[in-house]
Amino acid sequence: MASPYLCPSCKTNKTRFNIIEQKPKSVKLDPQSGEIMEEFAADQAGPLHLPYRGPDKKIQCGVCGLIENEEAFVKRAQYMNKQS
């Protein structure tokens, strides 16, 4: 469901945002070179590799550049709607 946003930093932007979709990739790196040695499917990473538990997307304010979880922008809009 769509929700209105309001930037929690500049507190003026209600319309200009960048939605950043996060697509994690589980990998094993070479410790010396940093090269990817192996890529794992999400359920095949093994017992020593924790799965990604972060948000699916982040939001960037198109005015001031703040990048936060979507919830911060939604909560600020809800708070300001209650104040009006």
Side-chain angles (χ1 to χ4, degrees), residues 9-75:
S9 179
C10 66
K11 299 177 183 75
T12 58
N13 180 26
K14 296 180 182 181
T15 59
R16 306 269 180 195
F17 301 96
N18 296 311
I19 298 174
I20 304 162
E21 295 180 356
Q22 302 196 119
K23 298 180 182 177
K25 180 167 60 170
S26 297
V27 298
K28 181 177 181 181
L29 299 180
D30 180 280
Q32 274 69 43
S33 68
E35 299 271 332
I36 295 176
M37 295 174 52
E38 194 173 352
E39 212 172 302
F40 304 104
D43 59 344
Q44 300 293 321
L48 299 178
H49 192 111
L50 292 175
Y52 178 72
R53 295 186 185 138
D56 292 334
K57 62 182 172 181
K58 291 225 177 216
I59 308 298
Q60 181 181 31
C61 176
V63 175
C64 73
L66 175 74
I67 299 174
E68 280 291 337
N69 291 337
E70 181 180 32
E71 185 177 333
F73 289 86
V74 172
K75 293 288 185 188

Side-chain angles (χ1 to χ4, degrees), residues 6 11 72-84:
L6 175 61
K11 299 177 183 75
F73 289 86
V74 172
K75 293 288 185 188
R76 176 50 95 171
Q78 290 171 345
Y79 176 75
M80 290 308 288
N81 282 341
K82 287 180 184 177
Q83 297 296 319
S84 317

